[in-house]
Amino acid sequence: AVIDMSRGVKVSSDMSQGASRMVHNRINTAITNVASSDTVTLFTVPKHTLVRRVIIIVRTAEGGTLTVDVGRTGGDVDELIDGANLNAAADTAYVTGEASTAEASLAIGGVLVEAEDTIDMLFNNAADAAIFDVYMEITTLPILTNVSAASV
């Protein structure tokens, strides 16, 4: 199932070109339970946006096995974070590009969103107790042509 927990958190497309911004979303699975293999929508991102990094900070551990991936459904579901352990101690952080998150997107400076899309979290296990904050650093780009993520 796809569960929209973005709560209206949408990156504005009217940000100044070249502007960077950090957006935030708190996810509370004690309020909205999530099943294994569910996808949770975290943020909506406008076209021509570079997602520089995602940070997950555990506030309350799940109390059982819980790993998640962050990326784009229909694309690379773990392009930003792969296998973050949300049963970790409170205040444990996972950041795009760290060895513990196992993804390679930081090698190209982030993930280029060429058409409006969502940043999603895939739950590899069920969750009914975890509380965590998700931060996303983005930069809006001028409208470019003939640009691919490999050239950023």
Side-chain angles (χ1 to χ4, degrees), residues 61-66 85-87:
E62 174 60 27
T65 302
L66 176 57
N85 175 11
L86 299 188
N87 191 39

Side-chain angles (χ1 to χ4, degrees), residues 138-150:
I138 58 104
T139 300
T140 56
L141 302 174
I143 297 173
L144 303 170
T145 58
N146 299 321
V147 172
S148 66

Side-chain angles (χ1 to χ4, degrees), residues 26-31 56-62 66 86 88 90-91 127-134:
R26 174 165 279 190
I27 304 298
N28 185 337
T29 66
I31 293 173
I56 302 172
I57 302 174
V58 176
R59 298 303 180 191
T60 301
E62 174 60 27
L66 176 57
L86 299 188
D91 298 326
D128 62 7
I131 301 171
F132 51 93
D133 290 311
V134 182

Side-chain angles (χ1 to χ4, degrees), residues 41-57:
T41 300
L42 298 171
F43 307 102
T44 301
V45 181
K47 64 184 179 180
H48 308 298
T49 299
L50 183 64
V51 178
R52 309 283 305 181
R53 79 183 88 219
V54 169
I55 302 165
I56 302 172
I57 302 174

